[in-house]
C-alpha cells in the first residue's frame, strides 16, 4: 500500500482506464460466449489461455457468477470516477465522457446477463449516490432519478421471463408464507456463532467445521433438500455463510475488525470528506458500496476482486489532500 504514495494522480487515472478496458475485453468475450457467437465450452478453455471451471459461466475463469459481478462493479466504479472527474473538470459533455459512459453501461449489462440481483441493486445504489454527489442542483438529481427509475422499469419489463425474475417472485411468495431465503438462514446461524465468541472468533478457516453446531432446524432441512434427487448418499456441507462480513467476524472476531477493518473504513470516510479530487471521492463511494456488498455475498473469495479492492483502497487512502480539484 505505501508504494501507492508514489503514484501520481495521472498514473492512478491511467490504471483506472486500463482496468476498465481489461474488464471490457473480458465482458465482450463472455457476452459472445453467452450468445454462442463463439464457443469454447467443449474445450473448457477460453482462447486456450485460461480454464473455464464452470461451463455455465461465461466471463473469464470466475467460478462463481457474483465474483464476476464484484470485479465488474469495481471496474465500473473506476470508470465512473474517471467520468465524474472529466465532467467536473470540463463542465460539459465531451466525446471522452461518452466513451466512458458506453463502457460502463456495457459492463452493467453483464450483471443482467448473469442474473445477479444483489450486484444490480448495489449498482443502482451507487448510481443514485453518484448522481446526488455530482448534481448540486437537487432538481437535476431528482429528474435523473426519475429518468433512471423509469428506464429500469422499461428494461425489467423485457426480463419478466428470466430466471432472476422467477426466483424473485418465488422468494416473495415464500416470505409471505413465513419461509426465509436460505441465505437469510445462513446469516442467522452466523450471527448465533458470532454471539458465542464475539471478541476473538474461532480462528482462520474455522467456519466450515464450527458452523454446523449453530445451524437451526430450518437450515438443516434446507441443507438436506439437495439429497432428495441425488444418485448417491452424501452429507451436504455448507462451506460459507454467503456473507464475507459475517463469516470474517465469526472467524477473526471483533478485535481483529477493530484493529484492521474499522480503521480502514474511517480512513476512507475521512478522505471522502476532506479530499478535493472528484476522482477520489467517486472511488470512496464505490468502496463503501463494495463493503456493503460484503454483507450479503462473497466478493472477496475471488482473488481478482480482493486484489482490486486493496488497490482501490490504496489509491483512496494515500491520495494527497493538497492536490487540486479534478
Amino acid at each position: 500500500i505505501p508504494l501507492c504514495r508514489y503514484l501520481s494522480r495521472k498514473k492512478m487515472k491511467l490504471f483506472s482506464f486500463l482496468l476498465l478496458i481489461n474488464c471490457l475485453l473480458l465482458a465482450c468475450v463472455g457476452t459472445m460466449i453467452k450468445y454462442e457467437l463463439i464457443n469454447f465450452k467443449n474445450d473448457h478453455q477460453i482462447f486456450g489461455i485460461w480454464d473455464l471451471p464452470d461451463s455455465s459461466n461465461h466471463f473469464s475463469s470466475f467460478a462463481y457468477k457474483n465474483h464476476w459481478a464484484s470485479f465488474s462493479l469495481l471496474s465500473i466504479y473506476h470508470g465512473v470516477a474517471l467520468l465524474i472527474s472529466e465532467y467536473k473538470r470540463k463542465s460539459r459533455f465531451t466525446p471522452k465522457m461518452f466513451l466512458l459512459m458506453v463502457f460502463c453501461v456495457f459492463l452493467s449489462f453483464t450483471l443482467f446477463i448473469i442474473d445477479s440481483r444483489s450486484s444490480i441493486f448495489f449498482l443502482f445504489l451507487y448510481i443514485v449516490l453518484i448522481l446526488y454527489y455530482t448534481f448540486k442542483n437537487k432538481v437535476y438529481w431528482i429528474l435523473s432519478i426519475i429518468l433512471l427509475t423509469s428506464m429500469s422499469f422499461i428494461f425489467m419489463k423485457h426480463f419478466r421471463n428470466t430466471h432472476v425474475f422467477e426466483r424473485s417472485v418465488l422468494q416473495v411468495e415464500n416470505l409471505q408464507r413465513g419461509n426465509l431465503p436460505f441465505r437469510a438462514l445462513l446469516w442467522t446461524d452466523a450471527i448465533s456463532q458470532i454471539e458465542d465468541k464475539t471478541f476473538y472468533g474461532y480462528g482462520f478457516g474455522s467456519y466450515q467445521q464450527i458452523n454446523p453446531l449453530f445451524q437451526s432446524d430450518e437450515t438443516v432441512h434446507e441443507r438436506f433438500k439437495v439429497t432428495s434427487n441425488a444418485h448417491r448418499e452424501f452429507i451436504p456441507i455448507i462451506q460459507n455463510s454467503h456473507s464475507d462480513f459475517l463469516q470474517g467476524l465469526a472467524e477473526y472476531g471483533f478485535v481483529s475488525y477493530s484493529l484492521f477493518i474499522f480503521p480502514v473504513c474511517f480512513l476512507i470516510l475521512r478522505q471522502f470528506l476532506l479530499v478535493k479530487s472528484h476522482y477520489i471521492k467517486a472511488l470512496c463511494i464505490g468502496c463503501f458500496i463494495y463493503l456493503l456488498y460484503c454483507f450479503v455475498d462473497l466478493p472477496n473469495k475471488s482473488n481478482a476482486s480482493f486484489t482490486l479492492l486493496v488497490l482501490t483502497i490504496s489509491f483512496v487512502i494515500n491520495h494527497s489532500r493538497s492536490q487540486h480539484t479534478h
Side-chain angles (χ1 to χ4, degrees):
I1 290 178
L3 293 176
C4 292
R5 294 176 182 174
Y6 302 102
L7 287 178
S8 65
R9 184 177 50 211
K10 185 176 181 180
K11 290 181 179 179
M12 289 182 186
K13 291 183 178 181
L14 176 61
F15 171 84
S16 293
F17 183 73
L18 293 177
L19 170 66
L20 188 64
I21 296 299
N22 168 73
C23 192
L24 186 69
L25 291 175
L26 295 177
C28 289
V29 173
T31 303
M32 287 190 289
I33 294 175
K34 166 67 176 179
Y35 293 105
E36 299 182 349
L37 298 175
I38 54 177
N39 189 358
F40 299 103
K41 292 183 180 180
N42 294 331
D43 299 330
H44 293 282
Q45 283 190 332
I46 298 178
F47 292 138
I49 300 175
W50 62 79
D51 293 329
L52 194 63
D54 182 2
S55 60
S56 64
N57 178 62
H58 312 288
F59 299 98
S60 187
S61 57
F62 292 94
Y64 176 46
K65 67 177 184 178
N66 280 356
H67 288 165
W68 165 256
S70 60
F71 186 79
S72 297
L73 283 176
L74 284 170
S75 300
I76 292 171
Y77 299 159
H78 278 265
V80 172
L82 292 174
L83 181 63
I84 298 301
S85 175
E86 181 76 5
Y87 172 78
K88 290 292 186 178
R89 190 163 61 92
K90 297 291 182 64
S91 297
R92 59 184 177 83
F93 196 79
T94 65
K96 181 180 178 181
M97 291 172 59
F98 176 77
L99 188 63
L100 290 171
M101 190 177 298
V102 170
F103 289 170
C104 292
V105 169
F106 183 75
L107 290 181
S108 302
F109 174 69
T110 65
L111 303 182
F112 289 89
I113 290 179
I114 62 176
D115 291 342
S116 175
R117 293 172 297 173
S118 56
S119 62
I120 292 171
F121 170 78
F122 285 111
L123 174 64
F124 183 82
L125 179 60
Y126 178 72
I127 293 173
V128 170
L129 293 177
I130 283 294
L131 289 175
Y132 181 82
Y133 162 72
T134 304
F135 296 117
K136 300 301 182 182
N137 189 328
K138 300 312 176 200
V139 174
Y140 291 132
W141 177 73
I142 294 173
L143 289 176
S144 299
I145 295 301
I146 293 174
L147 178 61
L148 182 64
T149 304
S150 302
M151 292 176 63
S152 300
F153 278 116
I154 295 173
F155 188 67
M156 288 303 296
K157 184 179 180 180
H158 297 285
F159 283 82
R160 280 185 169 272
N161 297 323
T162 60
H163 181 56
V164 64
F165 184 81
E166 293 174 356
R167 278 192 301 140
S168 300
V169 171
L170 181 61
Q171 285 190 347
V172 170
E173 292 175 351
N174 286 332
L175 283 173
Q176 291 174 344
R177 300 190 193 103
N179 300 324
L180 291 175
F182 188 53
R183 287 193 185 189
L185 295 175
L186 293 178
W187 298 338
T188 302
D189 295 341
I191 291 173
S192 299
Q193 183 176 339
I194 292 167
E195 290 174 345
D196 186 68
K197 206 168 184 179
T198 305
F199 287 97
Y200 300 105
Y202 282 90
F204 176 75
S206 61
Y207 178 86
Q208 186 174 326
Q209 289 73 34
I210 301 299
N211 185 256
L213 301 175
F214 296 90
Q215 287 177 10
S216 63
D217 293 337
E218 293 84 355
T219 304
V220 174
H221 175 71
E222 291 293 325
R223 174 184 168 192
F224 278 89
K225 267 187 178 181
V226 298
T227 63
S228 58
N229 297 319
H231 299 291
R232 61 181 177 83
E233 291 186 3
F234 70 100
I235 298 176
I237 298 175
I238 298 175
Q239 298 183 351
N240 52 67
S241 67
H242 275 285
S243 170
D244 272 338
F245 179 83
L246 292 177
Q247 187 166 332
L249 198 55
E251 291 185 348
Y252 307 118
F254 182 78
V255 172
S256 297
Y257 271 44
S258 299
L259 292 174
F260 300 103
I261 306 299
F262 297 148
V264 169
C265 293
F266 284 121
L267 285 172
I268 295 173
L269 178 60
R270 172 184 177 274
Q271 290 295 82
F272 177 76
L273 295 176
L274 299 180
V275 80
K276 294 181 179 181
S277 170
H278 299 294
Y279 166 75
I280 293 298
K281 282 182 178 292
L283 287 183
C284 287
I285 296 174
C287 287
F288 280 122
I289 296 297
Y290 187 92
L291 293 175
L292 288 177
Y293 194 24
C294 293
F295 276 83
V296 299
D297 217 310
L298 303 163
N300 293 320
K301 291 296 185 290
S302 164
N303 291 331
S305 298
F306 181 72
T307 302
L308 182 53
L309 173 66
V310 172
L311 285 173
T312 304
I313 292 176
S314 300
F315 284 8
V316 168
I317 292 178
N318 293 297
H319 187 273
S320 174
R321 288 186 300 156
S322 64
Q323 297 191 43
H324 299 294
T325 302
H326 271 82

